[in-house]
């Protein structure tokens, strides 16, 4: 039965026939509990909870990335069933492992000692940042500057379908892990490079930082309140995340391409071009009409009212609450003024009767609306919008939620946007669940984010190293 549930799709015919496929098995005769074999972490869930068979089951990925853009790409591939082996620095691992607080509280040693080797207890707590981008992966520590460590990575590459890295161009080539060297080891390998500015051009040797590229590629110029207020960065590393999404898509395309050609390829993704592509219509406005962009805060340059408005704070809370309102046409503006706000005369006011007039008289209109909205709380106005929607005449709107409110949102709860997994060092932890559903079901989180080097022994055994050899490599600081 497990062969039916996890049958390989056509794409996976391109995998090495010498590599065994992942196996699934029923546990204790109970068909409602699925568990990966010993080389994979377990997950629980009914057979019906799997929307589609993991489409990348059997695909092996060597992950040489750190921080966010690369780990995001490989996590998304791991979510789809790929065996992602994260190669980490011996002793410290991914940079984000040390980016705490916050971190997940550790279990008492007495609670985890049976499941963990002694060296695991000396590791620092698992940082929240690292946990956010590394579910469904295996961790192996390797010093590939050492010849013995480089040999380990080369053996992994010989068996791999994909390698993902985010080093400055040329750095890995000096260590024996560049595209040309890896392509010779495995001509079918898809080699994905993530950099700040790409593999060519005058900035190719510059390191890539999300916040720097936000400024350099236009995003920060259009983010924040109008001039003379200062530009501001986006509240999350949006360029990193977008680059991870582009890389994930590029790798999927390359896997399909390899099915047709039998050949691997070199993928060149970078933060700079990702951010320029992400300018979307703002870029097109400049390219087509020579129109330079401005900052409008939360407002829209050509639709009014279309922005965040302050509301009265609830009792016991200092400052304002906020609500986003987007009346995109005359009918919605009329609904806003007559069914939500007690301002029925505004739609016929000669200053505000059309959108063009509202744009021309923006400041006057916004002050009138702000003064009215400040009289009541966000909850009150949301109830008024809801009542208007029930009449069939809704207005686009939404609360400005903090993070706690976001996860308590009834839609977030209904859609199960979080998942709880057991971590051997931290116990039950909550993670953001995969964002996509297939046939109404999300792909399962089958592995907790790994502790540093958690799978070193396991992966080296799969490569043919004996337990004695593994211990010798550990004693020498190779793993």
């Amino acid at each position: 039965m497990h062969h039916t549930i996890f049958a390989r799709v056509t794409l996976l015919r391109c995998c090495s026939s010498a590599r065994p496929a992942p196996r699934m098995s029923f546990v204790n005769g109970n068909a409602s509990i699925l568990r990966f074999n010993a080389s994979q972490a377990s997950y629980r869930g009914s057979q019906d909870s799997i929307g589609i068979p993991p489409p990348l089951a059997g695909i092996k990925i060597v992950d040489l990335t750190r921080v966010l853009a690369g780990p995001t790409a490989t996590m998304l591939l791991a979510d789809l069933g790929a065996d992602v082996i994260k190669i980490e620095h011996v002793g410290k691992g991914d940079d984000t492992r040390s980016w705490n607080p916050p971190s997940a509280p550790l279990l008492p040693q007495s609670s985890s000692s049976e499941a963990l080797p002694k060296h695991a207890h000396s590791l620092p707590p698992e940082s929240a940042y690292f946990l956010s981008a590394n579910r469904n992966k295996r961790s192996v520590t390797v010093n590939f500057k050492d010849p013995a460590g480089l040999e380990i990575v080369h053996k992994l590459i010989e068996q791999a379908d994909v390698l993902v890295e985010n080093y400055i161009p040329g750095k890995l080539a000096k260590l024996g892990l560049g595209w040309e060297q890896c392509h010779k080891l495995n001509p079918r390998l898809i080699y994905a490079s993530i950099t700040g500015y790409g593999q060519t051009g005058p900035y190719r040797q510059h390191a890539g930082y999300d916040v720097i590229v936000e400024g350099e590629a236009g995003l920060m110029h259009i983010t924040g309140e109008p001039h003379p207020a200062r530009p501001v960065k986006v509240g999350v590393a949006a360029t990193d995340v977008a680059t991870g999404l582009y890389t994930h898509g590029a790798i999927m395309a390359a896997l399909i391409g390899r099915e047709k050609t039998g050949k691997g390829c070199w993928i060149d993704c970078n933060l700079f071009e990702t951010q320029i592509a992400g300018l979307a219509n703002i870029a097109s406005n400049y390219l087509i009409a020579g129109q330079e962009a401005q900052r409008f805060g939360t407002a829209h340059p050509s639709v009014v009212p279309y922005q965040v408005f302050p509301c009265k704070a609830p009792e016991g809370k200092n400052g304002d609450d906020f609500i986003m309102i987007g009346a995109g046409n005359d009918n919605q503006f009329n609904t806003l003024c007559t069914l939500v706000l007690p301002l029925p005369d505004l739609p016929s006011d000669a200053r505000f009767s059309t959108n063009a007039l509202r744009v021309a008289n923006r400041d006057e209109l916004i002050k009138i609306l702000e003064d009215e909205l400040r009289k009541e709380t966000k909850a009150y106005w949301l109830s008024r919008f809801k009542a208007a929607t029930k009449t069939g005449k809704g207005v686009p709107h939404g609360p400005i939620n903090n993070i706690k409110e976001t996860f308590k949102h009834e839609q977030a709860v209904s859609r199960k946007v979080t998942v709880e997994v057991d971590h051997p060092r931290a116990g039950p932890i909550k993670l953001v669940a995969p964002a996509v559903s297939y046939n109404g079901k999300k792909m399962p989180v089958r592995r907790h984010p790994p502790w540093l080097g958690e799978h070193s022994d396991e992966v080296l055994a799969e490569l043919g190293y004996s337990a004695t050899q593994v211990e010798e490599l550990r004693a020498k600081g190779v793993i």
Side-chain angles (χ1 to χ4, degrees):
M1 185 178 294
H2 60 275
H3 295 296
T4 301
I5 298 173
F6 293 92
R8 294 189 177 192
V9 295
T10 302
L11 168 66
L12 301 182
R13 289 203 303 263
C14 61
C15 301
S16 169
S17 60
R19 183 168 67 255
R23 292 179 288 115
M24 300 291 294
S25 60
F26 293 101
V27 178
N28 298 328
N30 186 346
S32 68
I33 300 176
L34 293 174
R35 190 180 297 274
F36 276 78
N37 67 4
S39 67
Q40 298 170 307
S42 64
Y43 73 90
R44 294 178 181 271
S46 69
Q47 182 174 327
D48 293 336
S49 70
I50 302 169
I52 58 171
L56 295 186
I59 293 291
K60 181 172 284 188
I61 297 175
V62 176
D63 182 2
L64 293 175
T65 69
R66 302 140 295 158
V67 188
L68 187 57
T72 295
T74 54
M75 179 176 69
L76 295 174
L77 297 166
D79 287 346
L80 296 174
D83 178 16
V84 174
I85 300 173
K86 185 177 180 71
I87 306 298
E88 300 194 65
H89 186 283
V90 176
K92 69 176 186 178
D94 188 309
D95 299 42
T96 62
R97 287 189 180 275
S98 63
W99 290 5
N100 52 49
S103 57
L106 294 178
L107 291 171
Q109 287 196 20
S110 58
S111 301
S112 59
S113 58
E114 292 184 6
L116 297 175
K118 290 182 179 180
H119 64 270
H121 295 294
S122 63
L123 297 173
E126 304 293 331
S127 80
Y129 200 119
F130 178 85
L131 294 173
S132 74
N134 289 284
R135 63 177 180 251
N136 285 332
K137 303 178 185 179
R138 296 197 280 173
S139 170
V140 177
T141 54
V142 182
N143 175 13
F144 50 78
K145 293 181 180 179
D146 185 291
L150 181 61
E151 182 180 2
I152 292 169
V153 180
H154 279 174
K155 287 183 177 181
L156 285 170
I157 290 168
E158 288 172 351
Q159 297 183 2
D161 298 284
V162 180
L163 182 148
V164 191
E165 59 91 8
N166 63 347
Y167 285 75
I168 290 174
K171 179 67 177 293
L172 285 182
K174 294 177 181 177
L175 299 173
L177 291 170
W179 155 247
E180 291 83 3
Q181 294 135 319
C182 292
H183 182 65
K184 289 180 180 178
L185 287 171
N186 182 353
R188 296 169 61 81
L189 182 73
I190 292 161
Y191 188 106
S193 295
I194 301 173
T195 58
Y197 299 88
Q199 297 294 319
T200 60
Y203 275 52
R204 64 184 295 270
Q205 290 295 313
H206 287 217
Y209 297 94
D210 175 279
V211 69
I212 304 301
V213 173
E214 279 190 41
E216 204 160 14
L219 180 60
M220 208 178 289
H221 172 71
I222 58 175
T223 306
E225 293 301 316
H227 182 80
R230 294 182 180 183
V232 299
K233 72 179 182 69
V234 178
V236 72
T239 305
D240 273 346
V241 173
T243 304
L245 288 166
Y246 266 109
T247 305
H248 154 257
I251 290 169
M252 296 291 283
L255 286 168
I256 294 172
R258 189 180 67 176
E259 175 71 4
K260 298 176 181 179
T261 66
K263 298 178 181 179
C265 71
W266 188 7
I267 295 169
D268 178 1
C269 286
N270 63 84
L271 304 184
F272 187 65
E273 289 176 82
T274 291
Q275 184 48 64
I276 290 174
L279 293 175
N281 60 297
I282 300 298
S284 188
N285 290 347
Y286 175 77
L287 295 173
I288 301 301
Q291 179 179 315
E292 182 55 79
Q294 302 176 50
R295 288 188 298 283
F296 283 88
T298 62
H300 195 288
S302 52
V303 180
V304 176
Y306 201 100
Q307 66 181 72
V308 167
F309 289 90
C311 307
K312 179 181 176 182
E315 188 173 347
K317 179 180 178 181
N318 295 324
D320 294 317
D321 259 349
F322 298 92
I323 190 168
M324 177 72 198
I325 300 173
N329 56 50
D330 293 342
N331 287 336
Q332 290 177 351
F333 181 64
N334 183 72
T335 299
L336 173 66
C337 296
T338 59
L339 296 183
V340 180
L341 304 174
L343 300 170
D345 296 333
L346 279 189
S348 59
D349 190 308
R351 298 169 296 171
F352 312 129
S353 58
T354 68
N355 182 67
L357 289 168
R358 293 193 290 275
V359 171
N361 297 288
R362 179 192 298 264
D363 292 345
E364 294 174 78
L365 177 58
I366 296 306
K367 185 178 188 310
I368 293 170
L369 297 178
E370 277 196 7
D371 288 346
E372 190 62 40
L373 285 160
R374 282 185 182 276
K375 295 177 182 179
E376 299 291 348
T377 65
K378 177 174 69 174
Y380 172 83
W381 291 121
L382 289 174
S383 69
R384 296 285 295 173
F385 277 107
K386 186 175 182 179
T389 300
K390 288 182 177 179
T391 70
K393 295 182 178 181
V395 179
H397 70 282
I400 305 303
N401 287 333
N402 61 27
I403 306 306
K404 181 178 181 180
E405 291 168 329
T406 297
F407 283 107
K408 286 190 171 183
H409 194 295
E410 60 182 342
Q411 183 69 7
V413 173
S414 174
R415 294 287 295 182
K416 297 180 173 62
V417 302
T418 63
V419 60
E420 187 173 278
V421 299
D422 288 325
H423 193 285
R425 300 188 69 231
I429 59 172
K430 287 184 178 179
L431 304 173
V432 176
V436 178
S437 296
Y438 300 86
N439 294 326
K441 308 293 182 182
K442 294 178 183 287
M443 299 302 291
V445 177
R446 64 191 191 280
R447 291 186 181 280
H448 58 267
W451 51 266
L452 180 61
E454 179 175 354
H455 304 95
S456 294
D457 293 34
E458 175 181 297
V459 171
L460 265 64
E462 292 170 6
L463 293 175
Y465 288 85
S466 69
T468 300
Q469 289 174 313
V470 170
E471 287 308 313
E472 289 175 353
L473 290 169
R474 181 170 284 118
K476 294 177 182 178
V478 176
I479 64 170

